[in-house]
Amino acid sequence: MPFKRYIEIGRVALINYGKDYGRLVVIVDVVDQNRALVDAPDMVRSQMNFKRLSLTDIKIDIKRVPRKSALIKAMQEADVQGKWDKSSWGRKLIVQKKRASLNDFDRFKLMLAKIKRGALIRQELAKLKKESAS
C-alpha cells in the first residue's frame, strides 16, 4: 500500500506534542526539511517541527502562505472540523477526552452500566444456547 499522507501545503495535521497538543492546524508553508509553517483560525501562525505533527487524510486547496481570512474561508468551505469529527481518529480522541473528564462517581456509574449490560448479554446468550440445544 503506497504512502498517501505527504507534507504539502494545505495538508491538515494534528499537533501531537507541546502546548497546542490536540489542535488541528493547516500546513501553509514548508520552511526546511524539519519544519513547517502552520496556522489555524484560533492560533498565531508559527513554525512547527514535523515530529510534532501527525498528518491527517484531510487536505484543503489553498495557495502558499495565505492570509488568515482566506485560510479560515477555505477551512470552512472544506468543512475540516466536520470531516475530522466524522473520522475514526477524531471520534476516538473525543471519546478519550470524555473519559478523561469523568469524575470518580461517573466512572462508578459507567462500571455498573457495563456490569448490567454484560449480565443481559449472558442471559440472552444462555437463552439462545438452550433453544439451539433442544
Side-chain angles (χ1 to χ4, degrees), residues 82-126:
K83 287 179 184 175
W84 175 251
D85 291 339
K86 290 178 186 173
S87 71
S88 61
W89 190 0
R91 288 194 311 263
K92 185 168 71 171
L93 289 180
I94 290 170
V95 168
Q96 285 178 354
K97 286 179 184 175
K98 280 183 185 176
R99 282 191 180 146
S101 68
L102 292 178
N103 61 24
D104 189 44
F105 186 58
D106 290 334
R107 285 191 295 273
F108 175 73
K109 290 190 292 187
L110 181 65
M111 180 191 72
L112 291 181
K114 285 182 179 180
I115 290 171
K116 286 181 183 177
R117 188 186 82 200
L120 288 173
I121 290 172
R122 279 193 300 277
Q123 285 177 352
E124 291 297 319
L125 186 63

Side-chain angles (χ1 to χ4, degrees), residues 21-22 31 48 67 71 73 85 91 102-103 113 119 126 128:
Y21 176 80
V31 178
M48 188 138 316
R67 291 180 184 265
L71 178 73
K73 184 179 175 190
D85 291 339
R91 288 194 311 263
L102 292 178
N103 61 24
L128 291 174

Side-chain angles (χ1 to χ4, degrees), residues 5-94:
R5 295 179 187 166
Y6 296 105
I7 299 285
E8 55 188 330
I9 295 169
R11 175 69 61 187
V12 178
L14 181 74
I15 299 177
N16 59 25
Y17 183 81
K19 65 182 176 96
D20 293 322
Y21 176 80
R23 179 177 284 179
L24 282 178
V25 295
V26 178
I27 296 174
V28 294
D29 195 10
V30 177
V31 178
D32 59 19
Q33 289 181 340
N34 297 314
R35 294 175 297 163
L37 193 64
V38 297
D39 199 1
D42 57 344
M43 73 178 274
V44 177
R45 188 171 289 186
S46 59
Q47 290 183 18
M48 188 138 316
N49 198 325
F50 291 147
K51 291 180 182 179
R52 291 185 178 212
L53 298 175
S54 296
L55 302 178
T56 66
D57 290 331
I58 306 167
K59 184 180 182 315
I60 60 177
D61 187 34
I62 57 171
K63 293 189 182 339
R64 187 171 157 260
V65 193
R67 291 180 184 265
K68 184 73 112 176
S69 59
L71 178 73
I72 292 171
K73 184 179 175 190
M75 286 181 77
Q76 288 172 348
E77 286 175 0
D79 189 29
V80 170
Q81 193 62 44
K83 287 179 184 175
W84 175 251
D85 291 339
K86 290 178 186 173
S87 71
S88 61
W89 190 0
R91 288 194 311 263
K92 185 168 71 171
L93 289 180
I94 290 170

